[in-house]
Amino acid sequence: MKNLSDILPLFGVEHDVILSKMGDITIAFALELPEIFTLSNTDYEAFHQAWVKAIKVLPEGCVLHKQDWYTTDVFNGDFEKEHSFLSHSSERFFHERPYLDHSCYLMLTMRPKERRAVNSMFSSLLRKHIVPVETLDPAFAKSFEGVCSQFIKILSDSGFVRCTRLTDEALVSLVNRYLLLSDDGVLRDLSFENGIAVGEKHCTLFSLGDADHLPAYCGARIDYEKYSSDTVKFPVAFVSPLGLLLPCNHIYNQYVFIEDTVTLTKQLESKKRRLQSLSAYSRENAYGKEAVELFLNEAVANQYQPVRAHFNVLAWADDVQEIQHIRNLCSSALTQIDVVPKIETVGAPQIFWAGIPGNASDFPMNDSFISFSAPACCFFNLETNYFSSLSPVGIRLGDRITGMPVHVDLSDEPMRRGWITNRNKLIIGPSGSGKSFLDNHMVRCYYEQRAHIVIVDSGNSYQGLCELVGGTYMAFTEEKPLRTNPFHIGVNETLDTEKKESLKTLLIALWKQDDDSFNRSEYVALSNALQLYYQKEIPFRCFNSFYEFLEEDFVTILKTQSVKEKDFDVANFLYVLRPFYKGGEFDYLLNATENLDLLNQRFIVFELDNIKDHPILFPVVTIILMDVSIAKMRKLEGIRKILLLEEMWQALAKANMESAIQYWVKTIRKYFGELWPVSQDIEDMIGSSVVKNAIINNCDTKILLDQSKYQNRFEEVQALLGLTDKERVLALSINKSNDPARKYKEVFISMGGRAKVYRVETSTEEYLAYTTEQSEKLKVKNAAAQYGGIQQGILSITQNY
């Protein structure tokens, strides 16, 4: 039994530097790596080259020690905050969801020139006590800080990683965490009698320290078969199987030792001659001699930097019965990158001891191998978990590995960072892909964040959510047709540009067919008519009074101005619009006297399923609803507004609608609004130049659900939406390897080229509120009728789940 204080190789922590008793100094950084499953092939290569370039600035005697921690944790729901019914159910659903927490540290250690290399026989762990060096040259520490700054600058400039230097308190915490394999502060004994044990934690150590056990080929990335297909290969970092994809408590240590190139070359030359002299006795010696010679030739010809390297995985479990299971997991992970698994036994304590932050110089060099810096960097972990946005705005989604909840801001943070220039979102997903389910989830989250929502639907997809939040649901039936009044304005309001443009678009849609021409004089005439109509004192403004104004007053005005019939055929205009005047077939549509002000209602659904194929009502009502949305844009300053158009392409695909669509899109952007066009089939957009030009080009955020039906012709979709090759790979990986134990689907989200795939996983209560499955909707409806409300009905159903 030894006291840790007697043999601890660290002297202390001062000025954000770890000092060892042997005179080593260590400067440490916390690294924020890219999120897993988000980098492309070229990204991996670029990030890898950044590490290679950074290592070149490290001087002889420097040790790079990168330590990645992966510890099992659980998500803790926030039950102190006041939540809505659905938000509270989400907190309960995800509470104690297990996931693998990751943190990454980079430690650069500089050993004094007089310090000799250590092997397993001379580790400080085997000493009874350590006598610290008496002096430390301040110039030595200062010059090394300059080297570290240079190293970090190269890494940071790559754009892939953010580095934060650890302070004294953080350094002490990191050392304690390693020695205790926990940050709970509970003291534990260290035992190396039967393997490595830290208190109740039983450890196993797999090392990559022998070149014979390493893969024949390595690179910055490998193909992840679970998300790949015959046509598309999905990349991950080369050692991802040893990182987040290894589901157990473990530490992945990565060491690179910078040695004198001349001395190292001489050692290799001596080894080559020794092997050559023994080559007659063994073919292995002859092969080894050729390998050393090839290595030396590569170093000279390509100016490669030779280094020593070592990598190991330290895994542990609280129950000794789990150790064999963890060993199987680690062996399988190493096999995935063609490494021969080797469990360290005799040398494991020394390797563990060298893993203490600040003690990398005490690593036993007999457990390292010689390589070039580029292959050594292939074994660096390059990825971390998904990040949650700190923005108060956004939606709850899940990461792809465990479904751990992450908060994703799709609106404000991307705008602040310059990823997007508008908040519009194009949502595409075939039938059954979970498109309407996702839309329900998104609008519910935005509604609870005080946004105003206007939904135009044609399938009763939002009826349950609308009832649950107390919104306004307007459906068109024969008994109760939809009544609107786009001509109505408030008492103290005047006709502004947006209102005028909306009314002109409406009148043109009522008057002209898709193939009819529309000239400038007709546009001017309608504009003048509206201007004069709103200047006249009229008791109640509606389409009836506007029609009468045209018939009585405006006809006379046109005659006095000598306007010819070819410039504006007012008789034809009145004849075509006669069905919308009182007594006509559609006189109810534009002359409503109630529900005139929807301005302050925050959740409005217009259900148009019964008129979606009507050649007149459908496009007209669509334009009217746009006018309602524009009214919210103009009058609700500083409040987020969302207009969701579900399957509106029939109305939007008309040639005379293009200018109106572009106008609406731009207006929404300027008034803190968002347009969410939703489509079930990509063919709807491919076949419409109006939609392509007006909608797709003005939606910086692209949201795709399962695109497997376009697997072999995704190039069309890619070109249409302007997706990069990296985004193509991500989009085609959706739902490739979902966890069969959980019920969810995945979604691809691209914001100005920054793309990720998330889980859309919800609580049972949320699922029942969002579901569009007819049998489930009917079950909720019957339960709501029985128990006096949809919330009570959902609760009655969930009790039986």
Side-chain angles (χ1 to χ4, degrees):
M1 180 71 69
K2 296 181 181 179
N3 289 324
L4 183 62
S5 58
D6 293 335
I7 60 172
L8 186 67
L10 305 183
F11 182 77
V13 175
E14 295 181 6
H15 305 294
D16 303 335
V17 175
I18 300 177
L19 306 175
S20 81
K21 294 178 179 178
M22 306 303 294
D24 309 320
I25 59 174
T26 300
I27 297 176
F29 302 87
L31 303 188
E32 190 175 291
L33 300 174
E35 294 163 290
I36 193 169
F37 305 141
T38 62
L39 298 183
S40 65
N41 293 342
T42 54
D43 290 336
Y44 283 117
E45 295 295 337
F47 195 14
H48 172 261
Q49 287 302 317
W51 281 104
V52 175
K53 291 178 183 177
I55 286 176
K56 287 182 179 180
V57 306
L58 298 180
E60 174 193 347
C62 182
V63 182
L64 182 154
H65 180 198
K66 186 168 173 290
Q67 194 171 78
D68 287 85
W69 284 74
Y70 302 91
T71 54
T72 55
D73 203 345
V74 294
F75 176 81
N76 293 311
D78 183 4
F79 298 108
E80 296 182 359
K81 181 180 177 182
E82 184 177 352
H83 293 290
S84 67
F85 167 63
L86 294 182
S87 292
H88 185 73
S89 69
S90 179
E91 294 296 326
R92 289 201 326 270
F93 177 73
F94 287 108
H95 184 58
E96 295 188 346
R97 169 68 64 92
Y99 70 96
L100 207 59
D101 185 47
H102 173 233
S103 52
C104 178
Y105 304 98
L106 172 69
M107 290 155 281
L108 298 175
T109 300
M110 191 65 193
R111 55 192 178 199
K113 291 184 178 180
E114 61 275 9
R115 180 165 186 191
R116 299 178 60 184
V118 177
N119 61 34
S120 297
M121 295 297 295
F122 296 98
S123 170
S124 62
L125 178 62
L126 303 178
R127 300 185 182 186
K128 294 183 178 180
H129 62 274
I130 302 175
V131 180
V133 295
E134 296 183 358
T135 60
L136 180 64
D137 186 3
F140 171 69
K142 188 174 182 180
S143 63
F144 184 59
E145 285 195 353
V147 171
C148 293
S149 298
Q150 207 175 347
F151 183 95
I152 294 301
K153 182 72 165 57
I154 295 172
L155 274 187
S156 300
D157 287 349
S158 70
F160 294 104
V161 61
R162 288 198 294 178
C163 310
T164 305
R165 184 167 175 178
L166 299 184
T167 60
D168 290 351
E169 184 178 351
L171 290 171
V172 172
S173 177
L174 180 59
V175 173
N176 289 333
R177 185 185 186 191
Y178 184 83
L179 291 172
L180 304 175
L181 289 185
S182 174
D183 51 9
D184 57 11
V186 178
L187 297 179
R188 294 175 172 86
D189 290 333
L190 283 173
S191 173
F192 302 115
E193 185 174 355
N194 295 310
I196 302 172
V198 182
E200 77 284 4
K201 302 177 187 299
H202 303 273
C203 305
T204 184
L205 187 107
F206 287 80
S207 68
L208 290 75
D210 191 333
D212 292 337
H213 298 160
L214 299 180
Y217 299 96
C218 63
R221 58 167 186 83
I222 56 173
D223 294 333
Y224 190 52
E225 296 300 330
K226 288 185 177 181
Y227 293 159
S228 298
S229 64
D230 294 339
T231 56
V232 178
K233 300 300 181 183
F234 193 96
V236 291
F238 183 72
V239 293
S240 287
L242 306 182
L244 289 170
L245 302 181
L246 179 57
C248 64
N249 289 306
H250 66 285
I251 298 173
Y252 180 47
N253 286 297
Q254 303 126 78
Y255 297 89
V256 174
F257 306 91
I258 311 300
E259 298 193 353
D260 180 22
T261 303
V262 176
T263 303
L264 192 58
T265 302
K266 287 181 179 180
Q267 292 175 357
L268 291 174
E269 291 283 3
S270 176
K271 181 178 181 179
K272 184 190 73 172
R273 289 192 294 270
R274 185 168 63 254
L275 291 171
Q276 184 175 10
S277 64
L278 298 172
S279 60
Y281 300 97
S282 171
R283 186 173 296 276
E284 286 79 3
N285 292 333
Y287 177 78
K289 175 256 180 186
E290 292 177 3
V292 173
E293 188 169 15
L294 182 61
F295 182 91
L296 292 170
N297 291 339
E298 286 284 325
V300 173
N302 299 307
Q303 295 298 303
Y304 289 157
Q305 181 184 13
V307 297
R308 286 187 178 274
H310 172 89
F311 310 95
N312 66 67
V313 176
L314 176 69
W316 67 89
D318 293 342
D319 188 351
V320 69
Q321 303 298 327
E322 295 181 23
I323 287 296
Q324 186 56 49
H325 174 63
I326 288 179
R327 285 175 178 168
N328 293 338
L329 290 175
C330 294
S331 297
S332 176
L334 291 166
T335 303
Q336 290 180 46
I337 59 173
D338 292 332
V339 171
V340 178
K342 180 192 176 185
I343 300 179
E344 284 288 345
T345 53
V346 178
Q350 293 92 321
I351 294 175
F352 172 86
W353 196 247
I356 299 174
N359 194 39
S361 290
D362 206 29
F363 187 87
M365 300 306 292
N366 55 294
D367 283 313
S368 66
F369 61 91
I370 299 174
S371 176
F372 295 125
S373 57
C377 290
C378 293
F379 291 87
F380 282 3
N381 173 62
L382 304 178
E383 299 163 321
T384 190
N385 283 316
Y386 278 13
F387 298 124
S388 275
S389 172
L390 298 178
S391 170
V393 177
I395 63 175
R396 170 170 285 183
L397 296 171
D399 76 352
R400 300 191 75 175
I401 300 176
T402 63
M404 180 192 70
V406 290
H407 182 72
V408 184
D409 185 351
L410 302 178
S411 300
D412 294 351
E413 185 180 17
M415 285 284 286
R416 283 197 307 270
R417 295 195 175 192
W419 300 345
I420 58 177
T421 57
N422 60 68
R423 295 179 173 86
N424 302 329
K425 298 165 181 54
L426 178 62
I427 306 170
I428 303 172
S431 178
S433 63
K435 168 177 49 63
S436 296
F437 189 92
L438 172 66
D439 296 340
N440 269 278
H441 183 58
M442 290 175 63
V443 297
R444 193 269 295 180
C445 292
Y446 276 84
Y447 173 79
E448 292 183 356
Q449 293 156 17
R450 311 307 301 169
H452 276 238
I453 314 289
V454 176
I455 300 173
V456 184
D457 186 27
S458 61
N460 295 292
S461 300
Y462 304 90
Q463 187 173 8
L465 180 62
C466 184
E467 184 179 346
L468 191 61
V469 301
T472 301
Y473 196 80
M474 304 178 69
F476 192 101
T477 62
E478 291 292 338
E479 299 78 17
K480 190 177 180 182
L482 185 63
R483 301 177 185 273
T484 64
N485 188 351
F487 290 85
H488 176 77
I489 59 175
V491 177
N492 298 322
E493 297 181 35
T494 58
L495 182 68
D496 54 25
T497 302
E498 288 83 5
K499 186 69 173 178
K500 186 190 292 186
E501 290 295 329
S502 177
L503 290 173
K504 281 189 285 187
T505 303
L506 170 63
L507 294 172
I508 293 167
L510 294 173
W511 183 22
K512 298 286 185 178
Q513 294 294 325
D514 294 344
D515 53 352
D516 289 345
S517 61
F518 180 70
N519 57 46
R520 180 65 179 172
S521 60
E522 292 172 329
Y523 179 87
V524 172
L526 287 178
S527 183
N528 291 336
L530 288 169
Q531 191 69 36
L532 294 172
Y533 169 72
Y534 280 95
Q535 289 176 357
K536 185 178 179 179
E537 292 292 333
I538 295 177
F540 182 73
R541 298 191 188 278
C542 59
F543 180 77
N544 286 340
S545 60
F546 178 70
Y547 189 91
E548 293 167 355
F549 169 79
L550 291 178
E551 194 174 35
E552 298 170 3
D553 298 354
F554 196 62
V555 170
T556 305
I557 294 172
L558 291 177
K559 289 180 179 179
T560 60
Q561 295 178 350
S562 300
V563 177
K564 299 179 181 179
E565 182 178 315
K566 67 176 184 178
D567 295 324
F568 182 64
D569 190 350
V570 66
N572 176 266
F573 180 83
L574 291 171
Y575 178 76
V576 173
L577 270 63
R578 183 67 180 79
F580 300 92
Y581 183 60
K582 57 186 174 182
E585 181 182 2
F586 307 112
D587 62 349
Y588 55 83
L589 186 60
L590 306 176
N591 297 290
T593 57
E594 68 281 340
N595 291 328
L596 298 179
D597 186 13
L598 298 174
L599 182 66
N600 296 315
Q601 298 188 37
R602 291 184 45 237
F603 198 99
I604 306 171
V605 180
F606 294 94
E607 175 51 58
L608 307 181
D609 186 54
N610 293 334
I611 60 170
K612 64 182 179 181
D613 297 320
H614 199 290
I616 296 176
L617 293 181
F618 187 66
V620 171
V621 171
T622 300
I623 297 171
I624 295 171
L625 299 178
M626 289 289 192
D627 178 62
V628 173
S629 179
I630 292 296
K632 286 181 176 288
M633 301 298 150
R634 292 184 289 108
K635 299 174 183 178
L636 300 177
E637 296 184 359
I639 298 176
R640 190 185 311 277
K641 309 99 183 172
I642 294 170
L643 173 60
L644 189 151
L645 301 176
E646 178 96 28
E647 300 299 330
M648 293 293 104
W649 308 115
Q650 295 176 16
L652 299 178
K654 297 185 178 182
N656 59 10
M657 288 287 293
E658 182 168 9
S659 60
I661 295 171
Q662 291 176 342
Y663 176 78
W664 287 327
V665 171
K666 294 177 182 177
T667 302
I668 285 174
R669 179 182 63 82
K670 294 176 181 177
Y671 288 93
F672 196 31
E674 305 183 16
L675 178 66
W676 296 5
V678 182
S679 177
Q680 185 178 102
D681 198 339
I682 198 74
E683 300 289 349
D684 293 335
M685 291 176 292
I686 294 176
S688 171
S689 60
V690 176
V691 175
K692 284 198 293 187
N693 297 333
I695 296 293
I696 295 177
N697 295 339
N698 288 287
C699 291
D700 285 357
T701 301
K702 314 291 194 307
I703 301 177
L704 304 179
L705 290 108
D706 196 342
Q707 297 294 306
S708 56
K709 64 181 291 187
Y710 295 100
Q711 182 88 25
N712 297 321
R713 58 188 186 97
F714 195 76
E715 291 77 9
E716 299 176 32
V717 181
Q718 183 179 358
L720 178 67
L721 301 182
L723 303 180
T724 64
D725 290 338
K726 176 173 71 174
E727 292 172 314
R728 173 175 176 264
V729 173
L730 281 169
L732 292 177
S733 72
I734 296 174
N735 298 330
K736 283 288 186 184
S737 183
N738 289 6
D739 184 354
R742 297 191 182 276
K743 190 174 183 178
Y744 67 92
K745 292 183 179 179
E746 293 184 327
V747 59
F748 163 89
I749 300 177
S750 170
M751 294 180 285
R754 289 166 173 80
K756 272 186 275 188
V757 175
Y758 299 92
R759 283 191 190 185
V760 183
E761 187 177 1
T762 63
S763 65
T764 305
E765 291 85 348
E766 290 173 291
Y767 177 84
L768 293 173
Y770 303 158
T771 183
T772 57
E773 185 68 31
Q774 187 65 40
S775 60
E776 294 172 336
K777 289 175 66 175
L778 184 61
K779 188 175 182 180
V780 173
K781 183 178 179 180
N782 293 337
Q786 180 179 355
Y787 292 98
I790 187 170
Q791 180 173 326
Q792 291 77 11
I794 289 175
L795 285 174
S796 70
I797 296 173
T798 56
Q799 292 175 358
N800 299 321
Y801 268 70

